[in-house]
Structures are given as structure tokens and as C-alpha cells.
Amino acid sequence: MKKLFSLLAMTFLLTFVTMNAYGQDLAQGSDQTATEQVQEETVAQSAVPEDEVQVKKSFHYVLKEKFIEGGPGFMATVLLCLIFGLALSIQKIIYLTMATTNSEKLLNDVKKALSSGGAKKAMDVCKNTRGPLASVFYQGLLKYDDGVDMVEKSLTSYGSVAIGNLERGLGWISLFISLAPSLGFMGTVIGMIQAFDKIAVVGEMSPAVVAGGMKVALLTTLFGLIVAVILQVFYNYLLTKIESIVIDMEDSTISFIDIVAETSSK
């Protein structure tokens, strides 16, 4: 429930920021229009090329302009893929950050606890330590009195569960990575259909007739690919983070088994 609440809160925050930025642009629309008129008058007076005026537009304004030109329907779905994908990615990054454990310190604390107070004291150390590694050690310590072999089997079984929990949720991010460009390509097909419909109505093929549909086709594809690239960066970072945690867990588990074998033989 906590994970669901954090995910919903993150999604609401990203949506609020996006809509707030969009609202600010609308509020500033009249001011920007007046500014553009002044710029056009200045250009007319000083014979400055029109391209230089276009450079003066902010990137955010141009992005909003292209977003509207691409068609609010399909562009909104692509934007939702970005929002939900980022929300899931940020939630997963927070989870993996909290799951990272100082394995060397934990091993030393467990070794001292086993030497001084036995398995029960070592389990208390694991209870007070955050992360899946401490949980795996705790499950192994439950079988401490049954011998090293049972400890190793317990670590292997529960370690697989812990790794599965680390990888949980990546499938949804992968879905949005695939969905965003797919929606963009769908917009491309629809834009091409619109262009051919206009050609059929007019009865001739000219750049002016085809331009509108082609613009929708290209913009939806472009924004879909941009969303996919952004989410792919987060996805690869998460995979690298999980791989790092898993490798650390495997190395620490081997050291933990050696500690158990050493202390149980005394």
C-alpha cells in the first residue's frame, strides 16, 4: 500500500508540474504575442531576417507549440506515457537506493554478534539493518542451528525471492518504452491517411495540401521516440543498479557462509 501511495503521489506531482507549466505558458501567451509583434516591427524597421526572430523564442515555448501542432489527442497519450514511466522509474530508484546496504559493515556486525551472543543477537542486528541483504542473512540465521548446509539452502531460496523483488516493476517501465513510439507511429499512419484524404478531396497533390498531415505524422513519431529515449536511459540505469546490488548480495552471501562455518565450529 505504501508503494502504491508513493507511486500515485509521484504521478500526481509530475502531472501537476506539467499542467502548471502549460498553464503558465497560456497565461503568458498574450505577453509573448505582444513581444513577438514588437519584434516583428523591429525586424521590419531594421531589415533583420525573420530567422533571427525565431531564435528568440524559448525552447519551452517552441516545444508547446509543436505539441499542439502534433495533435493534442495523440500527443497527450505520449505525454502520459512519459509521466507514468518517469513516476515508476523515480519510485524504483528510491526503492533501490533504500535497498542498498553497506555489506562490509553488516558482515562485521554479524560476525561480532555471532561470536559474542550467538544467532539470536545476530538476528537482532539484521532486523535493525535496512535492505534485502539483511533479510537474506536473517533467513539464513533462522537455520543456524541446523548446520551450514541448511543455512546455505535457506540463503539460496530467499535470495531468489529478494532478487525478484528488486526486479519487480521493470516490466511496466519497459511497456511504456515500447508504447510511446508505437503511439507515435500510429499518429504517423493517421497523419498520412489525413494527407491522402485531402488529396482525394482536392483532386491534386501539392505541398500545401499534404503539409498538414505530414506535420502530424512527423511530430507524433518524434515525440514518441523522445519519450522512449528518456525512459530507456532510466531503465538501463535501473538494470545497472539492480545488477550491482545482486552482485554485492552474492559476494556477501559467500562471506556470510564462511562466517557461519567458522563460528559454528567453535
Side-chain angles (χ1 to χ4, degrees), residues 70-71 73-75 77-78 81 178-195 213-225:
F74 272 97
M75 299 298 281
T77 57
V78 174
C81 288
S178 303
L179 193 59
S182 298
L183 291 172
F185 293 144
M186 187 181 298
T188 298
V189 174
I190 292 176
M192 295 296 293
I193 292 175
Q194 291 175 350
M214 291 296 296
K215 178 179 288 188
V216 173
L218 295 176
L219 287 175
T220 53
T221 302
L222 174 63
F223 276 84
L225 292 175

Side-chain angles (χ1 to χ4, degrees), residues 243-265:
E243 183 180 2
S244 175
I245 294 175
V246 170
I247 292 175
D248 183 64
M249 287 177 61
E250 291 175 349
D251 292 340
S252 301
T253 300
I254 295 173
S255 301
F256 177 77
I257 294 174
D258 293 337
I259 293 173
V260 171
E262 180 182 348
T263 55
S264 61
S265 61

